[in-house]
């Protein structure tokens, strides 16, 4: 059995954050691959799907340690350096890739099952084998009127099974899709306390940089999480009373540009002096 896992998000996270602050999706992908490598019987071949181009050393080490593993470059990114999914036409590039590039590329790999984790990279239509799409967030209404974005979201329903990481994400998906032929399951993310166990010294080092009282956000504060609303609320409150510091903790290196936009929004709202961004080696 050939099990394909789309590792492109993990590949980009390692490129952006070499010290290992991968973000939620990057951590899930890394652990999904490790788990498959640990439990796969001899007749299972893990197939890692990557962007064309260089593989970051930590990811190369992970792949090399996986028995019977194969890796294959797919898609458009890497073939043409000008194509960057974070630019103006990112969704259009993703849709072209999903419609005309991925399916023939994946057909040549003769997969028996495919697992993709990124709502902007949906599984191919009429794949001929089971496909799984895992959603960490579903912001189907965040860009109303964008037909390309909506088309990408509609493609998620072509998966054999949609996995939502929370009941809230599953409910968001259900509001957008009314198709009864797609299986939807909620599988919560977990924490392995044998691995994720911050030391008292590390905890104390972080707290030394913080004021006595603060408003805390954990995770990359990207656009669909409404940083503008939070900062505007602090600015309005400031006109009436002193406000606490706003501490945003997250692996901002894994998603370049979000940190700069957050700082710009805080400056625009007049609360830049109250914003503290902690992102050194953080990977919640």
């Amino acid at each position: 059995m050939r099990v394909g896992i789309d590792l492109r998000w993990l590949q980009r996270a390692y490129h952006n954050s070499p010290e290992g602050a991968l973000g939620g999706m990057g951590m899930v992908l890394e652990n999904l691959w490790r788990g498959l490598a640990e439990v796969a019987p001899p007749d299972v071949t893990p197939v890692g799907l990557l962007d064309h181009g260089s593989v970051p050393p930590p990811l190369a080490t992970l792949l090399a340690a996986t028995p019977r593993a194969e890796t294959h470059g797919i898609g458009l990114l890497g073939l043409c350096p000008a194509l960057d999914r974070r630019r103006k036409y990112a969704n259009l590039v993703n849709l072209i890739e999903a419609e005309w590039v991925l399916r023939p590329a994946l057909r040549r790999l003769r997969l028996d099952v495919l697992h993709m984790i990124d709502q902007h990279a949906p599984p191919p239509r009429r794949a001929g084998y089971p496909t799984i799409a895992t959603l960490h967030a579903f912001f189907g209404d965040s860009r109303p009127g964008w037909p390309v974005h909506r088309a990408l979201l509609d493609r998620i329903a072509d998966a054999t099974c949609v996995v939502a990481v929370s009941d809230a994400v599953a409910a968001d998906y259900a509001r957008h899709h009314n198709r009864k032929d797609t299986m939807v399951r909620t599988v919560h993310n977990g924490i392995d306390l044998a691995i994720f166990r911050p030391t008292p010294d590390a905890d104390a080092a972080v707290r030394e940089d913080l004021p006595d009282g603060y408003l805390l956000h954990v995770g990359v504060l990207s656009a669909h999480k409404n940083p503008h609303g939070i900062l505007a609320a602090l600015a309005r409150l400031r006109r009436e009373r002193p406000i606490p510091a706003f501490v945003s903790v997250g692996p901002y290196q894994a998603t370049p540009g979000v940190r700069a936009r957050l700082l710009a929004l805080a400056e625009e709202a007049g609360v830049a002096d109250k914003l503290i961004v902690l992102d050194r080696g953080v990977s919640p």
Side-chain angles (χ1 to χ4, degrees), residues 74-268:
I74 63 170
L76 297 173
L77 202 62
L79 291 177
C80 179
L83 294 177
D84 187 330
R85 286 172 170 77
R86 292 178 297 276
R87 293 182 182 176
K88 183 176 181 181
Y89 300 108
N91 283 327
L92 180 59
V93 171
N94 285 329
L95 186 60
I96 292 172
E97 186 177 78
E99 289 286 353
W100 293 290
V101 179
L102 288 185
R103 187 166 51 180
L106 293 172
R107 186 184 299 122
R108 290 191 292 269
L109 300 181
R110 303 185 307 279
L111 299 177
D112 295 293
V113 64
L114 171 64
H115 194 153
M116 305 190 82
I117 302 183
D118 182 1
Q119 70 167 321
H120 298 299
R125 286 176 172 165
R126 301 179 296 279
Y129 47 81
T131 57
I132 304 166
T134 293
L135 301 181
H136 279 74
F138 189 83
F139 33 101
D141 297 324
S142 63
R143 297 173 180 176
W146 284 39
V148 173
H149 179 72
R150 302 290 293 188
L152 274 172
L153 297 178
D154 289 339
R155 291 291 304 278
I156 296 172
D158 292 317
T160 310
C161 179
V162 172
V163 175
V165 299
S166 69
D167 293 334
V169 172
D172 288 342
Y173 174 83
R175 278 194 291 271
H176 182 80
H177 287 297
N178 195 30
R179 284 179 46 172
K180 306 300 182 183
D181 57 334
T182 303
M183 182 189 307
V184 181
R185 295 288 184 268
T186 299
V187 180
H188 299 282
N189 290 333
I191 296 176
D192 186 344
L193 293 179
I195 299 174
F196 184 79
R197 189 182 294 275
T199 65
D201 291 343
D203 182 64
V206 171
R207 291 182 180 275
E208 283 181 1
D209 297 331
L210 299 179
D212 291 335
Y214 52 88
L215 175 65
L216 176 66
H217 176 272
V218 178
V220 175
L221 190 53
S222 46
H224 71 282
K225 298 178 183 177
N226 195 23
H228 181 274
I230 296 173
L231 296 170
L234 286 173
R236 181 174 179 178
L237 184 63
R238 191 175 210 174
R239 294 197 292 266
E240 303 174 4
R241 68 191 70 182
I243 60 173
F246 177 42
V247 179
S248 188
V249 180
Y252 283 87
Q253 314 95 317
T255 313
V258 178
R259 189 182 196 276
R261 288 193 291 273
L262 180 61
L263 294 172
L265 284 173
E267 190 73 37
E268 181 182 325

Side-chain angles (χ1 to χ4, degrees), residues 5-40:
I5 298 180
D6 187 355
L7 298 176
R8 291 176 296 170
W9 186 281
L10 178 60
Q11 180 182 8
R12 295 166 210 157
Y14 263 129
H15 272 307
N16 296 330
S17 185
E19 77 280 8
L22 303 176
M25 287 174 55
M27 292 291 290
V28 167
L29 270 171
E30 185 181 71
N31 289 319
L32 180 64
W33 182 266
R34 289 185 188 277
L36 178 63
E38 290 174 3
V39 304

Side-chain angles (χ1 to χ4, degrees), residues 39-89:
V39 304
D43 61 340
V44 170
T45 299
V47 181
L49 308 178
L50 302 170
D51 282 321
H52 295 279
S54 64
V55 177
L59 180 56
T61 301
L62 175 65
L63 296 172
T66 306
R68 303 177 305 280
E70 296 180 9
T71 57
H72 298 273
I74 63 170
L76 297 173
L77 202 62
L79 291 177
C80 179
L83 294 177
D84 187 330
R85 286 172 170 77
R86 292 178 297 276
R87 293 182 182 176
K88 183 176 181 181
Y89 300 108

